[in-house]
Amino acid sequence: MGLHRLDLTLPQPLHGTAASRAIERAAAGALPSHTLMRRAGVAVARLAMALAPHARCIWIACGPGNNGGDGFEAALELHRLGRPVAVSFNGDAARLPPDAADAGQRLRQAGVPLAAQAPAQFDLAIDALLGLGATRPPEGPLLAHLRRMHAGTAPVLSVDLPSGLDADTGQFAAELGAAGAAARHCLSLLTVKPGLFTAKGRDLAGEVWFDDLGIDPSSTPPDAFLSGRPAPAARPHDSHKGSFGDVAVIGGAPGMTGAALLAATSALHAGAGRVFVGLLEADAPALASEYALMLRAPGTLPLDRLTVVCGCGAGTALGDLLPTAIDQAAALVLDADGLNALAADRRLHDALRARAATGRPTVLTPHPLEAARLLGTDTPAVQDDRLGAARRLADAFRCTVVLKGSGSVIASPDSTPRINPTGNARLATGGTGDVLAGMVGAALASGLAAADAAAHAVWWHGAVADGWPAGRPFSATQLAREAGRGLVQR
Ligand SMILES: NC(=O)C1=CN([C@@H]2O[C@H](COP(=O)(O)OP(=O)(O)OC[C@H]3O[C@@H](n4cnc5c(N)ncnc54)[C@H](O)[C@@H]3O)[C@@H](O)[C@H]2O)[C@@H](O)CC1
Ligand SMILES: Nc1ncnc2c1ncn2[C@@H]1O[C@H](COP(=O)(O)OP(=O)(O)O)[C@@H](O)[C@H]1O
Ligand SMILES: [K+]
């Protein structure tokens, strides 16, 4: 498909650096020289004109490799169409790769000067400094140009990747300072890169566009998928409360009952047939707001018939309940203090693997710190490679893992991970993770397989936050009551 804005409701294969280079090599070998770069330049120019049709100056910042070559080709096309361009080049002209050298030469022949500096004023900045080949954080003039774009008000269009962003991980090591008001766009070329959708990727890329340059990438396996919108769960008219499964939430130690109640409330609203709450605080106050929740002593719950959501607000009070839940639960979601208890006791690791061998589904929902504890590392190491961390956890525990945060990663053993595109910083507030755990529980209880239940819940959890009306106060409590957006009534 040609140039288009990426439709985030559709699943999308994501190819990292090595896969993208393999696809490029195969395609370039079958095409006349310079074809891919010329197609890339035309696509960038078309998008630039659509984004800033009345620009009086389009700044095209070109770097030392083929990403800069894409910038040269875009400048040529814009110049040919009579658009005012100012091209900067920071690199060694003698060491440009062949495609980029050819484009640079034709640009000079067309009478377009190459400066080292940015223009004094511009209405659109095209970032063609670094793409897949960024091997170290930008510095010197490249960093100065990026900071200028980042702090400004003119829209920024990144070619292939925001320069310096790691295509595989979304890691970005340079310090750009506070962002200005500029709208951001990124045109991913040939393949869509996973790093655009997790860690620092979302903030730096902004709106993601894609042009496959006429090449079909399907012969090379993707490194991940972007989750598409899951089909809403249908509820036939001829249903009863037993049709959608029973969820039990175990958690809520003294002072933290709210977390368990949030998970239970969201499980209820997300469509579970019945929701039990096994609070660890014995004398919890009566539940004022959700009368449909059924309070039970945690030790009395028939775990082998329940989808158990274990750990929300549990503190250190789970005791034997955790090994029992791992051993018995029909389906299991481990969150928060359930994960911390797991991290602290290697016998539970074995128990979780033994559980996997029985075929009963399990989903772990760590945030990056919880994931770090489980992996015996620190949060920055997890964030440096979110896909890798989620995959390692899924393989180690033989179950589905949701690594939460910007671009939540859903990984299952021996399968390609998914990155979730929904959600926003509204969710960065206390209790939203408890709500997610309840939603995963409801999805599992409805009979979805673990990976699909996790993807379904994470997608709709984020979608509710994305669709939140401007001006309406947002809280985890409100979110829990909107958790049923992914349901349709027949
Ligand atoms: N491989 C593909 O998929 C295609 C590539 N194209 C473009 O080519 C790009 C990849 O080109 P390259 O492999 O030449 O890589 P880049 O253009 O990203 O740059 C690599 C060059 O930058 C230098 N470099 C790396 N980090 C630096 C830093 N921090 N400061 C200064 N210099 C640094 C490297 O030593 C190398 O000389 C893609 O991102 C895309 O824009 C397109 O033309 C078409 C298809
Ligand atoms: N910037 C963001 N973009 C998308 N999702 C986010 C963002 N910030 C937080 N979230 C989501 O919000 C939830 C927060 O969960 P968690 O960190 O466990 O919080 P808590 O323990 O307070 O409930 C996760 O689902 C996470 O993915
Ligand atoms: K770039």
Side-chain angles (χ1 to χ4, degrees):
M1 215 200 295
L3 173 64
H4 62 283
R5 188 195 307 246
L6 215 59
D7 181 348
L8 299 182
T9 66
L10 299 177
Q12 177 73 45
L14 303 172
H15 294 89
T17 305
S20 297
R21 291 212 188 271
I23 292 165
E24 193 236 346
R25 267 195 308 277
L31 289 168
S33 336
H34 314 316
T35 304
L36 282 180
M37 190 169 282
R38 289 187 188 180
R39 288 181 187 170
V42 168
V44 173
R46 273 186 57 205
L47 182 53
M49 289 187 291
L51 295 176
H54 308 296
R56 287 154 301 176
C57 175
I58 300 174
W59 171 27
I60 305 159
C62 302
N66 283 324
N67 196 252
D70 291 348
F72 292 152
E73 289 286 2
L76 262 167
E77 179 70 2
L78 288 165
H79 177 70
R80 192 178 70 75
L81 295 170
R83 304 299 164 125
V85 295
V87 184
S88 62
F89 171 59
N90 299 92
D92 181 350
R95 294 177 59 191
L96 279 168
D99 285 352
D102 171 76
Q105 202 170 11
R106 284 186 290 115
L107 192 60
R108 280 192 210 88
Q109 282 162 2
V112 179
L114 303 187
Q117 307 300 326
Q121 292 201 320
F122 51 91
D123 305 307
L124 172 71
I126 297 182
D127 162 15
L129 292 167
L130 295 167
L132 288 172
T135 46
R136 55 187 191 278
E139 54 188 24
L142 268 53
L143 181 59
H145 285 338
L146 283 178
R147 284 185 173 155
R148 176 99 191 267
M149 294 177 194
H150 186 74
T153 53
V156 178
L157 167 56
S158 302
V159 176
D160 204 24
L161 288 161
S163 294
L165 186 78
D166 187 305
D168 299 315
T169 63
Q171 204 194 341
F172 184 79
E175 187 46 68
L176 293 185
R184 282 160 199 283
H185 300 265
C186 177
L187 173 52
S188 203
L189 294 166
L190 194 68
T191 57
V192 184
K193 321 297 185 290
L196 296 171
F197 295 98
T198 198
K200 302 282 188 231
R202 291 293 295 260
D203 281 328
L204 287 165
E207 183 109 55
V208 177
W209 302 71
F210 177 43
D211 194 316
D212 65 8
L213 307 182
I215 306 303
D216 173 9
S218 59
S219 58
T220 304
D223 296 296
F225 287 97
L226 199 60
S227 293
R229 177 169 57 204
R235 295 171 78 87
H237 197 277
D238 183 20
S239 303
H240 57 86
K241 65 178 182 253
S243 308
F244 306 111
D246 294 341
V247 171
V249 176
I250 298 177
M256 296 185 284
T257 50
L261 295 178
L262 278 172
T265 303
S266 85
L268 191 65
H269 287 273
R274 297 185 299 178
V275 179
F276 301 91
V277 191
L279 287 181
L280 301 170
E281 164 155 24
D283 302 321
L287 302 183
S289 53
E290 295 292 343
Y291 297 112
L293 298 179
M294 293 180 279
L295 277 181
R296 297 285 184 276
T300 64
L301 290 162
L303 301 184
D304 57 339
R305 283 182 273 136
L306 295 168
T307 294
V308 178
V309 177
C310 185
C312 303
T316 52
L318 277 172
D320 285 346
L321 285 166
L322 182 56
T324 309
I326 291 175
D327 183 45
Q328 295 180 6
L332 180 63
V333 182
L334 283 188
D335 187 38
D337 295 317
L339 297 169
N340 294 333
L342 177 66
D345 186 347
R346 295 206 68 87
R347 283 169 305 179
L348 295 178
H349 296 199
D350 296 333
L352 213 50
R353 283 188 285 267
R355 174 183 168 79
T358 70
R360 284 167 304 161
T362 306
V363 179
L364 313 184
T365 55
H367 59 49
L369 174 60
E370 288 154 357
R373 288 184 186 127
L374 288 168
L375 287 167
T377 178
D378 57 15
T379 309
V382 168
Q383 291 297 76
D384 279 354
D385 183 10
R386 288 169 53 77
L387 279 163
R391 253 195 323 249
R392 280 199 298 285
L393 284 172
D395 287 341
F397 295 110
R398 308 304 298 166
C399 64
T400 294
V401 171
V402 176
L403 176 58
K404 297 183 290 191
S406 176
S408 290
V409 177
I410 300 139
S412 298
D414 311 317
S415 65
T416 308
R418 311 184 207 183
I419 301 180
N420 180 66
T422 63
N424 58 60
R426 272 198 187 104
L427 290 170
T429 180
T432 56
D434 306 315
V435 173
L436 177 70
M439 292 176 75
V440 177
L444 276 175
S446 78
L448 288 177
D452 293 335
H456 179 103
V458 173
W459 206 94
W460 287 107
H461 179 257
V464 176
D466 288 343
W468 205 260
R472 182 174 159 207
F474 180 90
S475 72
T477 314
Q478 307 286 343
L479 180 69
R481 293 186 179 140
E482 300 287 335
R485 291 275 178 83
L487 301 174
V488 283
Q489 232 72 9
R490 279 216 185 111

